[in-house]
Structure formats: C-alpha cells, structure tokens
Amino acid sequence: MHSLKTRIQQDGIVLSDEVLKVDSFLNHQVDPELMKEMGEEFCRRFQDKKITKVLTLESSGIAPALFTALNLGVPLIFARKRKSLTLNEDILTAEVYSFTKQETSTISVSKKFLNQDDHVLIIDDFLANGQAGLGLIEVVTKAKASISGIGIVIEKAFQNGGELLRDTGYQVESLARISSLENSTVSFLEEEVTV
Ligand code: G4P
C-alpha cells in the first residue's frame, strides 16, 4: 500500500534495528484518512472470502480493524488483554507471550460474540514474532469458528512471525512489509506493483 509506505518513510522513527515507532499515525495519534484507506485495502484483498466478523487485539489493532469491519459491513470484536473479572465463565482465552516486552498476557473474547457459524478476519497493527496472531487464531479455533484470513498493517519481515502465520496455511496479507531497519533506514521487502 503505497500511501502507508510513504507515511512510514516520512513519519516513522527507527528506534533500533528491531523497532519502528509510528505513534504519529497508528499507535498513539491515529490518522483516520489512512485508517479508512487501510480498511478499503483489507476489504479488497479479502473480497473473495466469506467474513462475518473482524477480530483484533486491543489497543492499536482497533483503528484499522474498525474501518475494515465498516467496509465489510460486519461487527468488530477486540480481544481484551486482561481477563474480565465479571466474565470468567463465558470467555475464550489464549496465552500470548511478547518477545518484545518479555511478558505473557491472557487474551480473552466473550463466547457470546464468536460461534461455529462465524468466518473471522483477523487484523493486527504489527506482525513481529507472530504470537498475537497465533493467540487470536487459538481463540477463533476454540469458538469452533473458521478463519477467513489474517490482515497485518506493518509486518517486520526480518522477524519470524510472518513465516509462523503463513505456515498455518491461512491467507496472510500485510500492507507494508519491512525487510530491514538497519542504519536507521526503513527498507521494504517488495516494490509496489502499479496497475
Ligand atoms: P508479536 O505479537 O508479533 O509476537 O509481537 P511482539 O510480542 O514482539 O510485540 C508486542 C507488542 O509490541 C505489540 O503491541 C506489537 O504490536 C508491538 N510491536 C512489535 N514490534 C513493534 C515495532 O517495531 N514498533 C511498534 N510501534 N510496535 C511494535 P501491543 O503491546 O499489543 O501494543 P498496543 O496494541 O496496545 O499498542
């Protein structure tokens, strides 16, 4: 997605060889126009799939996922990162380990919002080590719902999450795939194909 790559080049801050800061348009301040475009692009990439729900993980996945859900005309569910005290018996959970933060969190979704008739598109903002994506897949599987695909805003292709998620066999679409952050420079994996 050309506009996203341009925005990353313009406003992204390379914090280290591993971490890209994009808090001016995605992770803190959010650009609605860019989110709208992302929603349209995810919708286009998964247009052949039957989708009844969009699922993301709070908090930064919510903005792009909401615009995707709006375009598809389906509800958005965001998995919570902490167990709800009031919903202990009726939740689907998965353990997600963050290599970046070196901590495990339990993500949860209420059973009443996902069931075996659902076809779920998973959306997330970053794909690094793939643990959030795998956790969301586990939640959908526990609900006996099916997975229509996985949409990622920014994939750090030099980490192993992309391979892990693609090995599941589901369609994985990333709007920007970063091959390297070395020398404080953002490099993308493939050139934009213009049609
Ligand atoms: P993984 O899910 O792919 O295994 O990723 P990892 O545990 O490494 O990442 C944990 C958190 O750090 C996630 O956000 C993820 O989006 C974010 N993250 C990973 N790499 C980068 C990066 O290069 N830049 C930025 N800005 N974020 C990165 P989170 O804790 O769920 O945060 P939030 O959604 O509440 O904002």
Side-chain angles (χ1 to χ4, degrees):
M1 191 178 135
H2 183 70
S3 55
L4 172 62
K5 289 180 178 174
T6 305
R7 191 61 178 273
I8 291 170
Q9 295 284 18
Q10 278 172 2
D11 295 336
I13 298 165
V14 180
L15 289 186
S16 68
D17 285 357
E18 305 249 297
V19 179
L20 174 71
K21 185 168 174 162
V22 286
D23 65 344
S24 63
F25 61 91
L26 179 62
N27 287 145
H28 195 19
Q29 176 171 264
V30 177
D31 182 337
E33 281 298 330
L34 190 62
M35 298 302 128
K36 180 168 170 276
E37 231 184 292
M38 288 176 188
E40 290 162 357
E41 182 64 17
F42 280 132
C43 198
R44 193 182 67 72
R45 294 194 189 198
F46 294 100
Q47 62 188 353
D48 298 339
K49 298 284 168 76
K50 186 177 175 190
I51 295 164
T52 62
K53 300 270 168 74
V54 172
L55 175 66
T56 189
L57 182 56
E58 65 176 350
S59 55
S60 297
I62 294 175
L66 180 60
F67 278 93
T68 307
L70 180 68
N71 267 278
L72 291 166
V74 301
L76 160 71
I77 305 164
F78 61 88
R80 295 183 179 274
K81 283 192 185 138
R82 273 167 293 170
K83 274 185 187 169
S84 164
L85 287 175
T86 55
L87 274 175
N88 276 340
E89 285 164 25
D90 294 302
I91 53 173
L92 305 154
T93 62
E95 300 292 306
V96 173
Y97 177 72
S98 168
F99 288 97
T100 307
K101 296 183 174 176
Q102 297 199 340
E103 62 186 28
T104 300
S105 57
T106 305
I107 64 167
S108 60
V109 171
S110 172
K111 279 184 184 168
K112 69 181 170 191
F113 298 128
L114 270 186
N115 63 56
Q116 59 190 18
D117 297 326
D118 279 317
H119 299 268
V120 181
L121 174 62
I122 293 170
I123 299 286
D124 208 359
D125 58 335
F126 266 92
L127 174 54
N129 297 293
Q131 299 306 302
L134 291 175
L136 291 169
I137 289 172
E138 190 179 332
V139 165
V140 176
T141 305
K142 282 183 174 170
K144 298 189 168 58
S146 57
I147 292 165
S148 303
I150 301 162
I152 301 292
V153 176
I154 301 173
E155 174 178 347
K156 293 190 292 181
F158 54 87
Q159 293 181 296
N160 71 344
E163 200 181 338
L164 275 179
L165 290 192
R166 289 185 179 89
D167 279 351
T168 63
Y170 299 119
Q171 180 183 347
V172 179
E173 294 286 340
S174 302
L175 302 184
R177 301 182 78 193
I178 293 173
S179 59
S180 164
L181 292 172
E182 281 169 24
N183 304 316
S184 301
T185 304
V186 182
S187 306
F188 294 103
L189 197 62
E190 69 238 347
E191 291 306 311
E192 190 85 10
V193 180
T194 46
V195 282

